[in-house]
Amino acid sequence: MSSQIVPLIIIGVSVLFILGIKFLSSPKTARTGNLVAAAGMFIALCVLLKTDGSSVWSHGWSFNYTLIVIGTLIGLVIGAIGAYSVKMTSMPQMVALFNGLGGGAAALVASLEFIRDADAIEIIKSDISQSHTDLIYVTIPMLFATLIGSLSFSGSIIAYLKLEGKFEKPHTFPGQNILNGLILLVIISLCGWLTLNATGHNAIVAFIVMFALALFFGIAMVLPIGGADMPVVISLLNSFTGLAVAADGFAINNNAMIVAGTLVGSSGTLLTLLMCKAMNRPVT
């Protein structure tokens, strides 16, 4: 497929995403909105598979079509079974679980990209003609997607368990905010260090530590919140997942992911603020 046609198709896909979210604003058109957005994602996937890697991807990946088809079919079956078997009263739990899986997938994509691109990052660092801006452009999206995606995954799992009634009451202890703040500070520090030292064994170890701390921080962030506030938390974590997907789009140079992730991130943030206002709860 010609690289000149791809941007036009991506614009059309973006319009379908926007229309899909628009239709979701009403129960009467929500089903249509889902179908429209799904059609946009299917078109984006077809464009990816039919496009010469050198024209869209800077990495020149070769796709394993068999694994892509198998993964797609498995996802379709699990999603359909889950959607048809879950009760309407348990729909928030399913939303939390699926959102967590989306965040985890985004984190895994960014993690694999970070590890795989170690050699490319080393080339940039060793090339005096490349500025630090180039290095930041390569590493920041991957680290951001890993951090936000893993946080969304673990936080969504806790939200799911709370909605299931496993532990509805808030779990707090003295100095909890201080501990969470220190964990977040360590995570940000590791991300800053990895931005400038993204190669070698030490970088891999630091990246794994950052990933684990982000997972723990997601749990620590949601545990102190009561079960009644879980819908707001899920909406916030949904926006996190969208931002992680958008960052993945920057990391692997996929405009469709950037648009879709940004739409989810912005709409999720607005929904979170509106829900907090309606419930008279501070977003903090």
Side-chain angles (χ1 to χ4, degrees):
M1 184 179 293
S2 174
S3 59
Q4 297 178 348
I5 301 178
V6 172
L8 297 177
I9 296 178
I10 295 301
I11 292 175
V13 168
S14 303
V15 172
L16 291 177
F17 289 156
I18 295 172
L19 290 176
I21 292 182
K22 175 63 178 177
F23 289 148
L24 289 175
S25 61
S26 172
K28 295 181 179 180
T29 57
R31 183 188 296 269
T32 302
N34 274 320
L35 294 175
V36 169
M41 186 59 66
F42 178 75
I43 294 173
L45 178 62
C46 291
V47 171
L48 167 65
L49 298 180
K50 290 182 177 296
T51 303
D52 177 23
S54 61
S55 63
V56 175
W57 303 91
S58 60
H59 310 300
W61 280 357
S62 59
F63 297 106
N64 189 322
Y65 295 99
T66 303
L67 287 180
I68 291 175
V69 172
I70 292 175
T72 301
L73 292 177
I74 292 175
L76 288 173
V77 171
I78 294 176
I81 293 175
Y84 276 106
S85 61
V86 68
K87 298 180 180 178
M88 287 302 297
T89 54
S90 300
M91 197 60 66
Q93 289 93 308
M94 190 185 75
V95 173
L97 186 60
F98 283 179
N99 175 68
L101 293 176
L108 287 177
V109 169
S111 299
L112 293 174
E113 183 72 7
F114 182 90
I115 295 173
R116 195 191 66 82
D117 272 5
D119 293 337
I121 294 172
E122 183 65 34
I123 292 174
I124 293 177
K125 291 175 64 178
S126 61
D127 188 351
I128 59 174
S129 66
Q130 298 290 335
S131 66
H132 288 288
T133 303
D134 298 317
L135 179 60
I136 292 174
Y137 181 80
V138 172
T139 56
I140 289 297
M142 291 180 270
L143 293 172
F144 181 83
T146 302
L147 168 59
I148 301 299
S150 55
L151 186 156
S152 177
F153 170 74
S154 58
S156 295
I157 297 302
I158 298 300
Y160 166 80
L161 294 174
K162 280 180 172 287
L163 289 171
E164 280 288 296
K166 303 302 181 181
F167 39 87
E168 296 181 0
K169 295 182 180 180
H171 288 65
T172 59
F173 56 85
Q176 187 174 34
N177 290 334
I178 297 177
L179 176 61
N180 290 346
L182 290 175
I183 293 174
L184 182 60
L185 181 62
V186 172
I187 292 173
I188 295 176
S189 299
L190 286 173
C191 288
W193 185 83
L194 285 169
T195 301
L196 301 176
N197 301 274
T199 57
H201 177 72
N202 292 336
I204 299 300
V205 173
F207 183 83
I208 294 175
V209 172
M210 186 272 292
F211 196 114
L213 287 176
L215 289 173
F216 180 79
F217 184 77
I219 297 174
M221 186 183 72
V222 179
L223 275 178
I225 304 174
D229 293 327
M230 280 305 104
V232 179
V233 175
I234 293 172
S235 178
L236 180 63
L237 293 175
N238 180 66
S239 67
F240 285 177
T241 297
L243 294 176
V245 171
D248 275 345
F250 281 106
I252 65 177
N253 194 26
N254 187 314
N255 291 329
M257 291 182 68
I258 295 174
V259 173
T262 304
L263 286 172
V264 173
S266 58
S267 60
T269 301
L270 290 174
L271 179 60
T272 301
L273 296 175
L274 291 173
M275 292 176 69
C276 286
K277 183 178 180 180
M279 299 173 64
N280 197 25
R281 299 279 190 176
V283 69
T284 52

